[in-house]
Amino acid sequence: MPITMNLHVDARSPIPIRRQLTEQLKHAIESGRVPRDQTLPSIRELAGFLGINTNTVARVIEDLKQSGYVEARRGRGVFVAAAPPVRPSPGRREGFLKDVVIGAAAVGMTADDLAVGVLSVAGVRPPAIDGAVEVLLVERSPAELDFFAGQLEAHFPIRVDKVLLGELTAITRRRTPAGRWRAAVTSFGHLREVERVLRGRGVPVIALLAEAHLETLHRLAQLPAGTRVGVTSDALETAHNLEHSIAKAALANIMLVGACSAEGAALGRLVRRVDVIVCSSSSAERVRQLAGPGVQVMIDDRALDGRAIQMLATLLVGGNGGTHERPPRRRATRPTTRKK
């Protein structure tokens, strides 16, 4: 990597990976380790470097855009803003934090103990404080599994066991999930089938809904009347779900032309019929290769419904305080990082 940022994430921490990475990048920018107007590594590079999901990194970059730390330059990448926000001196804040950590260690507190304690004192209820928590995720396609897993891991310090819907029955016959899976998660369309397969096994099932970002809907609402909009993503099911989410907003100024997978020939036909195409960050490069200069590419990686996230958080926190049997703690491995 051309710049030195010393980034790392800890999957076992009670602090969500998304928050960890966002704060580290802010600190790198504020401290001058990443100069102003310097281009950042791509989303794929950062995800590979840190060993985390690309969707998580994409959301971190979006958070930094919204807060004024970085800006996207069409066709060139993401750059540090010329005038990023000013916070208290990074050196002063770092010194304060070191004093707090040393003081906590003196009374026998680990870094995780301190993080959870700060969240509790601040009135924020940490979703789960044990990295050994394992959640079953069931979806129909690998792309959907990767998307939801990335979202869940960004919100919670958990391990996600990804299982295709078509393989769930066979897998549950071979395994004894009681005491292993704290909960099962799936999308609304598969809820009944997952509940049927897991009935009597003591695993609660929660349905999550992935919606288009409000920012995307707002941008679509500002388009001229009659604008033709298409939707694409890595998997056809993902594209249809995103299309349905946009359709529910009932925006009178746009016409939804259709949805397709970014991997097939249908994408070339779709981009020739639209003025705007909404796509995931992972499929944006292929879309731009096929779309003409007159087609606007609008990136939306979807967001999990907050109410369902809160339901899962309540369940995980409740389990931490209950008598739920725990599996033995496994040794966690840190992602291998490259030297800068």
Side-chain angles (χ1 to χ4, degrees):
M1 297 173 69
I3 53 181
T4 301
M5 291 186 284
N6 298 321
L7 302 176
H8 69 277
V9 295
D10 185 355
R12 297 168 296 175
S13 170
I15 307 301
I17 290 175
R18 176 176 172 181
R19 183 64 182 273
Q20 291 182 47
L21 183 54
T22 298
E23 290 303 317
Q24 288 181 58
L25 283 169
K26 284 182 179 179
H27 182 70
I29 292 170
E30 292 167 344
S31 63
R33 292 203 300 270
V34 188
R36 297 180 183 187
D37 287 322
Q38 168 71 53
T39 181
L40 292 181
S42 70
I43 288 173
R44 289 188 183 277
E45 286 174 334
L46 279 173
F49 172 67
L50 295 168
I52 61 178
N53 191 280
T54 55
N55 287 327
T56 300
V57 178
R59 295 200 181 286
V60 167
I61 297 300
E62 188 61 33
D63 290 342
L64 294 175
K65 288 180 188 176
Q66 294 298 319
S67 55
Y69 282 86
V70 302
E71 58 187 32
R73 299 179 186 174
R74 185 174 179 84
R76 298 179 60 194
V78 176
F79 289 74
V80 175
V86 177
R87 295 199 295 182
S89 165
R92 184 177 179 184
R93 285 189 291 111
E94 187 169 336
F96 169 76
L97 291 174
K98 285 182 178 178
D99 289 342
V100 172
V101 171
I102 291 171
V107 296
M109 295 178 69
T110 67
D112 275 359
D113 292 335
L114 179 60
V116 174
V118 170
L119 290 174
S120 300
V121 170
V124 179
R125 191 181 190 190
I129 61 174
D130 191 334
V133 172
E134 189 161 351
V135 170
L136 170 66
L137 174 64
V138 184
E139 283 299 326
R140 189 177 296 278
S141 70
E144 289 287 273
L145 281 175
D146 289 342
F147 168 75
F148 278 108
Q151 290 283 296
L152 291 172
E153 289 167 352
H155 279 87
F156 305 110
I158 58 176
R159 288 196 299 269
V160 177
D161 190 2
K162 298 186 289 186
V163 174
L164 290 170
L165 183 63
E167 301 173 358
L168 180 61
T169 299
I171 286 175
T172 52
R173 285 174 179 168
R174 296 196 302 266
R175 302 181 186 176
T176 305
R180 173 186 177 180
W181 293 324
R182 180 67 58 77
V185 175
T186 189
S187 53
F188 273 98
H190 313 318
L191 177 61
R192 290 187 178 180
E193 186 172 354
V194 174
E195 286 181 329
R196 177 184 58 79
V197 175
L198 296 178
R199 186 173 294 122
R201 296 177 178 269
V203 181
V205 183
I206 293 177
L208 295 179
L209 179 64
E211 300 277 14
H213 278 283
L214 288 177
E215 180 192 357
T216 300
L217 298 178
H218 178 74
R219 291 171 64 191
L220 289 172
Q222 307 307 309
L223 295 172
T227 300
R228 299 166 300 169
V229 177
V231 180
T232 188
S233 191
D234 297 309
L236 181 59
E237 183 178 7
T238 308
H240 281 310
N241 289 342
L242 181 55
E243 179 190 33
H244 177 68
S245 178
I246 295 172
K248 287 195 304 180
L251 301 176
N253 60 308
I254 67 171
M255 297 185 299
L256 281 171
V257 174
C260 71
S261 166
E263 299 301 323
L267 178 60
R269 296 191 293 269
L270 180 63
V271 297
R272 290 193 292 270
R273 300 168 53 209
V274 300
D275 306 301
V276 175
I277 189 154
V278 181
C279 66
S280 61
S281 58
S282 57
S283 61
E285 182 177 351
R286 174 166 169 75
V287 171
R288 290 194 177 102
Q289 289 175 349
L290 294 175
V295 178
Q296 179 182 348
V297 178
M298 192 177 295
I299 296 178
D300 186 299
D301 285 314
R302 302 183 297 162
L304 293 184
D305 177 71
R307 290 165 296 183
I309 284 292
Q310 185 57 49
M311 287 174 58
L312 182 57
T314 301
L315 176 64
L316 295 179
V317 171
N320 278 324
T323 59
H324 191 89
E325 182 183 351
R326 292 294 183 85
R329 181 182 290 275
R330 301 174 186 170
R331 183 180 299 275
T333 56
R334 298 177 67 85
T336 301
T337 58
R338 298 174 292 186
K339 293 183 178 179
K340 305 179 202 42

